Amino acid sequence: MERKNAWNTYDENAMKELEQVTEQYRRFISEGKTERECAQLTVEMAKEHGYISLEEAVASGRQLKAGDKIYAVHKKKLVVLFEIGTEPMEKGMNILGAHIDSPRLDVKQNPLYEKEGMAYLDTHYYGGIKKYQWVALPLALHGVVALKDGSVVEVCIGEDASDPVVGVSDLLIHLAGEQMSKKADKVIEGENLDILVGSMPSYEKEEDGKDAKEAVKKNILALLKEKYGIEEEDFISAELEAVPAGPARDYGIDRSMIMGYGHDDKVCAYPSLAALLNADNLDKTGVCVLVDKEEIGSVGATGMHSRFFENMTAEVMERMGQYSELKLRRALTASNMLSSDVNAAFDPNYASVSEKKNTSFFGNGMVFMKYTGARGKSGSNDASAEYLAALRKVMDDANVTYQTSELGKVDAGGGGTIAYIMGNYGMNVVDSGVAVQNMHAPFEVISKADLYETYRGYEAFLHM
């Protein structure tokens, strides 16, 4: 099939809308580097568009009706939004689901130590990364510290222009002969991804007048106490993430791309959210689900495997006077879903891992992946032919530029998404989203045209 480059289809008005959508996304990804930050931004945007919390509706005894807009948040990391349609929910929903966690370095619970006059934070990497990519980079610390009195302190170090940054050191090439002979997965070991945070000793003295022991560590603790009011033992109840510092940037001399941290999967989460927020007069109830923990198996209370989405659907149906266990099951089974996740963009520098007829290219629009998984489709959802045919019509009717893809050659590797989890309800599910270069690297790259077409595709889907 002949591929269509979306850039060739745009007139002046489309280009203006494209720049508006992509600039809003660039700000979103720059400000929402963690799942907590994304969830907070989502709620702020939802409120601006007239959404109210489900908790508020339940507490007030408010009944819900067509046109109402509701959101629910779980543990500040998972958000579900509903725009109630005119049809009974028993007939199904149109669901856009993405994840808002990304690979990173997590600070351990007992992290701070001093070694040879330098202070470090010990880390445990999160998600699938090439560990050698995370050294010699400016990193920022984002997260929260929960104190025993019940208060929570927000931490962000390294994003403001006046902030210091931190990072993981690398071995100079002059002395790296042995290191360079190692396999790539052993060049940097996971336990060596410790973050250098200081080298200046405290001016405090011991009682005998001698320099304090671990004086650099003490100085770091004093600075943290002064700015955030936290003690060393408070690291036990902290969630601190080290991520690349700085905002997402336009990429390419022609500004046709965006480079930034966390495109996987915020480049699908944002258009999913924006499409629902801008939707009106829906027949089927429109839903956006933004979940945590996908990068480590969608597990835990805030992952897609949790029952939160199902429980909130039941709550909404109850508020509408439509709930029964049977009707809930019917609603889930009758639903359509786009599992909004990224695909690997073809890279001419690494062409050997792709089969060009069945891979995604920059500028060729929204990507549909009938199946993901690994090798023999292991762990895949594998959408039905009938569902794909229906989606083809929706996209063609809306003049959305789209393409189909697999994730590399059959035996090259593979990956998974949340699609199979939602498929367990019996609903129609297919993976769809944006092609990404440098996936899971500290800085990933996407095409603005692909983001824009994906946003348009998600808008069309909500009216399916």
Side-chain angles (χ1 to χ4, degrees):
M1 295 184 296
E2 183 179 354
R3 293 179 177 272
K4 182 169 66 173
N5 192 305
W7 290 108
N8 294 329
T9 68
Y10 299 146
D11 58 16
E12 184 178 349
N13 290 332
M15 285 297 296
K16 287 182 179 179
E17 186 178 30
L18 179 149
E19 287 301 333
Q20 183 180 35
V21 169
T22 56
E23 178 57 22
Q24 289 170 345
Y25 166 68
R26 194 189 64 78
R27 292 200 298 268
F28 180 87
I29 196 176
S30 297
E31 297 173 13
K33 291 190 174 181
T34 72
E35 62 279 14
R36 285 177 179 264
E37 290 168 347
C38 277
Q40 183 176 343
L41 284 170
T42 296
V43 170
E44 292 172 2
M45 292 170 63
K47 288 180 176 179
E48 290 174 359
H49 283 78
Y51 279 72
I52 65 168
S53 73
L54 180 58
E55 182 180 10
E56 177 185 336
V58 171
S60 65
R62 173 176 171 172
Q63 293 299 299
L64 301 178
K65 62 185 183 307
D68 283 345
K69 301 176 180 181
I70 300 293
Y71 73 87
V73 183
H74 191 47
K75 301 187 184 302
K76 300 181 180 180
K77 297 179 183 180
L78 190 165
V79 188
V80 184
L81 303 98
F82 299 83
E83 181 176 328
I84 298 172
T86 56
E87 294 182 359
M89 287 183 66
E90 183 181 358
K91 292 188 176 181
M93 300 165 279
N94 288 333
I95 305 167
L96 295 165
H99 66 93
I100 51 177
D101 61 315
S102 297
R104 60 182 187 256
L105 303 181
D106 281 347
V107 174
K108 291 184 178 181
Q109 266 54 67
N110 185 23
L112 185 60
Y113 70 95
E114 179 176 334
K115 190 173 184 179
E116 307 301 335
M118 293 185 172
Y120 293 89
L121 290 175
D122 201 355
T123 72
H124 192 135
Y125 64 91
Y126 173 97
I129 65 171
K130 293 179 178 179
K131 295 184 283 292
Y132 63 79
Q133 293 179 330
W134 287 76
V135 300
L137 286 176
L139 300 178
L141 294 172
H142 292 237
V144 297
V145 181
L147 306 182
K148 289 190 292 185
D149 64 5
S151 62
V152 177
V153 180
E154 293 187 2
V155 175
C156 184
I157 303 172
E159 297 295 352
D160 191 272
S162 63
D163 281 353
V165 294
V166 295
V168 181
S169 62
D170 195 10
L171 182 61
L172 67 163
I173 188 64
H174 310 71
L175 302 177
E178 181 181 350
Q179 181 194 49
M180 296 294 285
S181 68
K182 296 180 180 180
K183 290 184 177 180
D185 64 344
K186 298 295 184 182
V187 169
I188 301 293
E189 300 281 358
E191 283 292 356
N192 290 338
L193 289 172
D194 292 356
I195 300 169
L196 178 60
V197 296
S199 63
M200 182 189 298
S202 168
Y203 292 111
E204 291 182 10
K205 300 287 184 180
E206 301 287 0
E207 291 183 1
D208 58 6
K210 294 182 178 180
D211 291 339
K213 295 179 181 179
E214 296 191 317
V216 178
K217 176 181 173 180
K218 286 186 176 180
N219 190 40
I220 296 298
L221 287 171
L223 292 170
L224 293 174
K225 176 71 173 178
E226 178 183 357
K227 184 167 184 178
Y228 296 106
I230 59 178
E231 309 280 357
E232 183 174 10
E233 68 174 19
D234 294 326
F235 280 114
I236 294 173
S237 52
E239 291 180 1
L240 296 174
E241 304 173 11
V243 300
R249 304 271 304 269
D250 279 356
Y251 191 69
I253 296 173
D254 58 1
R255 296 183 177 269
S256 63
M257 298 166 282
I258 298 174
M259 170 178 267
Y261 165 71
H263 284 317
D264 181 7
D265 183 37
K266 298 175 187 69
V267 76
C268 297
Y270 177 79
S272 297
L273 172 63
L276 184 64
L277 295 184
N278 293 328
D280 285 309
N281 304 316
L282 296 178
D283 296 329
K284 286 183 177 291
T285 293
V287 182
C288 177
V289 187
L290 303 180
V291 297
D292 181 27
K293 298 293 188 291
E294 191 275 344
E295 296 294 357
I296 58 171
S298 297
V299 294
T302 54
M304 197 69 253
H305 276 298
S306 77
R307 303 294 288 271
F308 184 73
F309 163 69
E310 181 181 329
N311 293 344
M312 293 307 99
T313 302
E315 289 275 8
V316 170
M317 294 181 73
E318 175 70 19
R319 290 288 102 199
M320 295 177 66
Q322 296 182 7
Y323 175 77
S324 73
E325 181 66 20
L326 179 58
K327 288 182 178 180
L328 172 63
R329 297 298 155 199
R330 286 174 176 169
L332 295 170
T333 302
S335 292
N336 299 315
M337 182 186 181
L338 295 184
S339 170
S340 307
D341 212 334
V342 298
N343 190 263
F346 180 78
D347 188 336
N349 287 332
Y350 304 98
S352 63
V353 299
S354 300
E355 192 268 288
K356 289 179 67 175
K357 299 191 308 299
N358 291 285
T359 194
S360 52
F361 288 79
F362 271 6
N364 284 194
M366 180 181 180
V367 183
F368 284 103
M369 297 155 280
K370 186 178 188 296
Y371 44 81
T372 52
R375 297 176 176 86
K377 299 186 180 181
S378 176
S380 172
N381 168 67
D382 208 347
S384 72
E386 292 85 353
Y387 185 40
L388 285 170
L391 288 170
R392 286 173 58 201
K393 177 172 172 50
V394 169
M395 299 304 150
D396 287 344
D397 288 349
N399 293 315
V400 174
T401 302
Y402 65 92
Q403 55 187 317
T404 61
S405 180
E406 297 185 9
L407 188 59
K409 286 184 176 179
V410 173
D411 285 328
T417 68
I418 64 173
Y420 76 97
I421 303 168
M422 298 296 273
N424 289 336
Y425 290 114
M427 67 176 69
N428 286 318
V429 188
V430 69
D431 287 300
S432 70
V434 178
V436 176
Q437 278 193 356
N438 304 354
M439 195 188 298
H440 282 214
F443 294 101
E444 301 167 317
V445 180
I446 60 100
S447 163
K448 289 181 177 181
D450 296 338
L451 169 57
Y452 178 56
E453 292 302 316
T454 300
Y455 166 71
R456 295 182 63 242
Y458 291 169
E459 277 193 319
F461 167 78
L462 289 172
H463 291 275
M464 184 174 176

